[in-house]
Amino acid sequence: MQLHRNKRKSINPTRYIVLGFGAIILLGTLLLHLPISAQDGQMTPWLTCLFTATSATCVTGLVLVDTAGHWAVFGQAVILLLLQLGGLGFVTLISIIPFALHRRIGLSQRLVMASAMNLDRVAGVVRVVRHALLGTLLVEGIGAVLLAIRFVPQFGLLGIWFSIFHSISAFCNGGFDILGLYSGPYSSLAAYQGDPLVLGTIMALIVIGGLGFFVWEDVIQKRCWKKLTLYSKMVLGITACLIAFGAVYFACAEWENPDTLGSMPLWQRPLNALFQSVTLRTAGYATFDQGKLLEGSAVMSILLMLIGGSSGSTAGGLKTVTVGVLLLALR
């Protein structure tokens, strides 16, 4: 009995999170392996299912098969659920249950929530998680409505599913798309390189999701730049600088490249340069073939992807403030 108690005590919040993500990936793998998940009604190879489930849960956007061409609606729904779990963190989403039942959240649950949200204290963690859930629902809902303005007239009722899928995928910085049957396999958002509504909505979702829930909470409470914490100011400032610098760089470097921006009308080139700068922050979308980038642009893409988003966000990477602190230390 004593040994069993010691084992239970040894499972700290970090281990719960690791075990939880592992369980989610395995469950996603099993669901994707079912015949109902594939368009052809056949079982998908285990390795493809495992890779796809891992990629969706870790919001990388990497795929072995075209999401629209291979996976049926059930499989796409599984991928979307994994994206949401991976982007927000399963601990955050599981918190909906006690919220809905109006049950008190104990200290152990608060510790796990704080660890999942990268908070350094337990005080206020429930409020942060509640605001994160409500904010996510609101932002993804607005994004879906804006995308529906374009997708519903184009795809009919199926456009509603397209809007929901891409809104969640973009907010979670997932990079998955289901436009392959319309614009060609692995084409991502290339068919909308001249659509400011679609690209603007996707960019807004990526940036908002990549700012982090700490910044959300701080902005909601302070509502004034001078009153924001130093961390929030650094996140907002570094994010704006990286996006602007990347957009200017890609516009200058790729302006005459016929395989990327050079083949587009003049008014589309700045828009797609900006989109390139934003999506490289771990989102994974593209409006042109990334393999056709010039060497300098490829190196810049690597650097922006390495930095990624901010702590406590849906994005990955080294994190904006971490890189900012390292640069300040070097100076």
Side-chain angles (χ1 to χ4, degrees):
M1 180 64 71
Q2 186 64 33
L3 180 61
H4 179 66
R5 289 179 180 176
N6 290 335
K7 286 184 178 180
R8 290 185 62 184
K9 289 181 180 179
S10 65
I11 304 180
N12 57 33
T14 303
R15 290 173 181 167
Y16 273 120
I17 295 171
V18 172
L19 292 174
F21 269 101
I24 290 170
I25 291 173
L26 291 178
L27 179 60
T29 302
L30 292 173
L31 292 175
L32 290 176
H33 187 63
L34 297 175
I36 192 176
S37 294
Q39 292 276 13
D40 57 7
Q42 303 294 319
M43 289 185 176
T44 304
W46 283 108
L47 183 59
T48 301
C49 296
L50 176 61
F51 185 93
T52 304
T54 304
S55 178
T57 305
C58 298
V59 289
T60 66
L62 299 173
V63 295
L64 295 177
V65 293
D66 183 68
T67 307
H70 181 82
W71 303 109
V73 174
F74 179 81
Q76 294 172 12
V78 172
I79 292 173
L80 189 62
L81 180 60
L82 294 175
L83 285 170
Q84 190 75 88
L85 288 169
L88 281 181
F90 76 97
V91 174
T92 305
L93 291 179
I94 290 175
S95 303
I96 295 176
I97 299 174
F99 288 157
L101 297 177
H102 300 286
R103 291 183 177 178
R104 186 179 181 277
I105 299 177
L107 179 60
S108 60
Q109 292 174 295
R110 291 169 187 260
L111 288 171
V112 175
M113 291 165 64
S115 179
M117 299 288 290
N118 289 324
L119 292 172
D120 57 0
R121 62 183 184 276
V122 177
V125 65
V126 175
R127 183 184 68 255
V128 173
V129 171
R130 184 184 291 111
H131 287 171
L133 291 171
L134 294 176
T136 296
L137 180 63
L138 177 63
V139 173
E140 290 179 346
I142 294 174
V145 171
L146 292 175
L147 291 175
I149 296 174
R150 181 70 69 243
F151 290 153
V152 170
Q154 189 173 8
F155 301 108
L157 292 179
L158 188 61
I160 298 176
W161 171 240
F162 278 36
S163 303
I164 295 173
F165 187 98
H166 292 98
S167 179
I168 295 176
S169 179
F171 177 80
C172 294
N173 283 233
F176 280 76
D177 71 275
I178 50 175
L179 297 169
L181 295 178
Y182 165 69
S183 55
Y186 310 106
S187 59
S188 192
L189 299 178
Y192 296 93
Q193 60 186 209
D195 194 322
L197 176 61
V198 172
L199 296 189
T201 301
I202 296 295
M203 283 191 287
L205 290 168
I206 292 171
V207 172
I208 294 173
L211 288 177
F213 304 121
F214 313 139
V215 179
W216 288 20
E217 189 72 13
D218 200 25
V219 171
I220 291 174
Q221 290 182 347
K222 308 297 177 52
R223 301 183 182 182
C224 176
W225 175 262
K226 293 183 179 180
K227 296 181 180 180
L228 294 178
T229 63
L230 176 60
Y231 173 81
S232 296
K233 290 179 180 180
M234 289 186 67
V235 168
L236 295 172
I238 294 173
T239 297
C241 290
L242 287 174
I243 291 175
F245 176 77
V248 172
Y249 180 90
F250 288 119
C252 294
E254 300 292 328
W255 192 267
E256 299 295 338
N257 185 352
D259 295 321
T260 56
L261 298 181
S263 61
M264 302 178 188
L266 291 178
W267 71 270
Q268 290 185 15
R269 298 182 192 182
L271 174 64
N272 284 268
L274 177 62
F275 186 84
Q276 177 76 358
S277 178
V278 172
T279 190
L280 288 172
R281 308 291 304 291
T282 78
Y285 288 111
T287 56
F288 52 79
D289 188 354
Q290 299 296 292
K292 300 298 178 62
L293 287 169
L294 300 177
E295 289 186 0
S297 298
V299 173
M300 179 57 63
S301 299
I302 293 173
L303 292 175
L304 291 175
M305 289 187 290
L306 179 65
I307 296 172
S310 303
S311 299
S313 72
T314 60
L318 287 177
K319 309 304 181 185
T320 52
V321 173
T322 301
V323 174
V325 171
L326 289 174
L327 292 177
L328 289 174
L330 288 174
R331 187 190 69 171

